[in-house]
């Protein structure tokens, strides 16, 4: 686990809501996060005909930031935090902004399953760093093989698409590291810190995203679709991530991320009609086997 920086609000007792959330197995939070992680972007692809990718990214972050602000009012505790906690939140916010921008620029040029497979390369490194048993090594080998089956037939696209996809991979790895620090800063306020980070993300992405988002701001249906993408892509999965990260070691969380390429393949099939073939089906089975034996 990462070191836990001190925070002024850490000594507050957990709320009944936090206690109830703690009874849910963290793996279930991760499954929910994995589904919504790609369900929202799959619908976002459908917006690209009217709104540029950076505009869609801005809509996603802005709507999520507004929802978090109204729900959590994160500025109330931010001033009381120590410098280390503030820096973690600021870093997570900048990473979230850049990660979302690169992700949408990538999926505008590459199949969703390809971007999902590339995104998994960073978590592989984190999972390798946390290996402790032979059983986990076998599990990691299975999920790597599964991701290869999911991706090797789909590695086609433009060079800029791959550059954005690998940039998203690097930022996604930082998201895992910083997300764990924020989740474990202390107390039951991880979602409040996530809400603060989302406001930072909005500030970071607005200079490049506000102008491409103008068509959606002038159209109620497009704006509503953008808000829907923000809620399904950022509010639900990031909250689930925080609840899972608070109770899972970083290496175990990284191992579970093998579900993302499989989820991307399934969501791409259902929403975008990018149907998986025999290789992709084999990959999904291998990923599921690896997760099943992981301890």
């Amino acid at each position: 686990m990462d070191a836990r920086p001190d925070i002024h609000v850490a000594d507050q007792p957990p709320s009944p809501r936090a206690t109830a959330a703690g009874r849910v197995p963290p793996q279930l939070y991760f499954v929910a996060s994995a589904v919504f992680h790609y369900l929202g972007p799959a619908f976002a692809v459908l917006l690209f005909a009217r709104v540029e990718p950076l505009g869609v990214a801005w809509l996603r972050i802005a709507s999520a930031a507004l929802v978090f602000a109204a729900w959590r009012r994160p500025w109330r505790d931010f001033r009381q935090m120590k410098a280390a906690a503030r820096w973690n939140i600021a870093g997570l916010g900048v990473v979230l902004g850049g990660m979302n921008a690169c992700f949408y620029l990538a999926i505008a040029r590459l199949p969703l399953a390809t971007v999902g497979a590339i995104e998994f390369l960073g978590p592989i490194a984190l999972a390798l760093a946390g290996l402790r048993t032979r059983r986990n090594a076998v599990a990691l080998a299975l999920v790597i093989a599964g991701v290869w089956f999911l991706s090797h037939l789909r590695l086609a696209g433009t060079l800029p698409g791959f550059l954005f996809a690998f940039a998203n991979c690097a930022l996604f790895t930082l998201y895992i590291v910083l997300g764990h620090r924020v989740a474990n800063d202390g107390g039951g306020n991880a979602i409040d810190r996530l809400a603060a980070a989302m406001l930072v993300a909005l500030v970071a992405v607005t200079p490049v995203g506000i102008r491409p988002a103008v068509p959606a701001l002038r159209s109620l249906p497009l704006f509503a679709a953008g808000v829907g993408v923000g809620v399904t892509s950022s509010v639900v999965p990031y909250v689930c991530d925080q609840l899972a990260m608070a109770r899972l070691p970083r290496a175990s969380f990284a191992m579970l991320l093998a579900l993302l390429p499989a989820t991307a393949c399934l969501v791409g099939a259902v929403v975008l009609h990018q149907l998986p073939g025999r290789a992709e089906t084999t990959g999904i089975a291998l990923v599921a086997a690896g997760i099943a034996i992981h301890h």
Side-chain angles (χ1 to χ4, degrees):
M1 274 284 189
D2 298 308
R4 301 188 177 188
D6 291 332
I7 186 171
H8 180 78
V9 297
D11 294 329
Q12 295 180 353
S15 65
R17 182 178 301 176
T19 303
R23 297 194 189 103
V24 178
Q27 292 82 358
L28 290 183
Y29 286 124
F30 184 86
V31 170
S33 173
V35 172
F36 281 95
H37 185 83
Y38 287 116
L39 184 60
F43 288 116
V45 171
L46 305 178
L47 288 174
F48 287 162
R50 301 284 301 277
V51 183
E52 296 179 22
L54 284 177
V56 177
W58 185 87
L59 285 170
R60 168 180 173 171
I61 293 172
S63 58
L66 291 176
V67 169
F68 275 120
W71 175 28
R72 308 300 296 192
R73 300 179 184 178
W75 52 84
R76 294 178 298 180
D77 292 329
F78 187 79
R79 295 179 180 179
Q80 302 175 9
M81 297 178 185
K82 291 190 175 180
R86 291 183 182 181
W87 279 112
N88 285 336
I89 289 172
L92 179 61
V94 172
V95 166
L96 284 172
M99 181 178 73
N100 281 281
C102 289
F103 182 80
Y104 281 108
L105 289 168
I107 66 174
R109 295 166 172 82
L110 299 174
L112 187 60
T114 298
V115 178
I118 293 173
E119 192 173 53
F120 179 63
L121 296 177
I124 285 178
L126 293 179
L128 284 171
L131 286 179
R132 294 293 183 271
T133 66
R134 184 176 300 176
R135 175 177 175 175
N136 285 347
V138 173
L140 182 61
L142 285 174
V143 297
I144 291 174
V147 171
W148 184 83
F149 272 104
L150 283 166
S151 63
H152 82 287
L153 295 179
R154 289 178 175 261
L155 293 182
T158 64
L159 178 60
F162 282 103
L163 292 177
F164 287 125
F166 279 102
N168 171 66
C169 169
L171 291 168
F172 188 57
T173 306
L174 285 175
Y175 163 72
I176 298 170
V177 174
L178 291 173
H180 263 85
R181 291 179 181 175
V182 169
N184 293 295
D185 270 344
N189 302 290
I191 297 177
D192 292 338
R193 294 188 290 273
L194 171 63
M198 193 60 68
L199 291 174
V200 175
L202 177 58
V203 173
V205 80
T206 292
V208 297
I210 184 65
R211 181 175 293 179
V214 168
L217 298 178
R218 294 175 176 172
S219 169
L220 183 58
L222 290 178
F223 178 76
V227 172
V229 169
V231 172
T232 58
S233 298
S234 293
V235 177
V236 176
Y238 291 161
V239 167
C240 290
D241 281 352
Q242 284 295 300
L243 294 172
M245 286 177 177
R247 296 164 58 199
L248 288 173
R250 191 170 66 189
S252 294
F253 186 86
M255 176 72 77
L256 284 172
L257 288 171
L259 289 171
L260 294 182
T263 304
C265 186
L266 294 174
V267 172
V270 173
V271 179
L272 303 177
H273 304 292
Q274 299 172 351
L275 298 178
R278 182 178 300 176
E280 288 85 357
T281 304
T282 302
I284 293 172
L286 287 171
V287 167
I291 296 300
I293 69 171
H294 172 59
H295 178 64

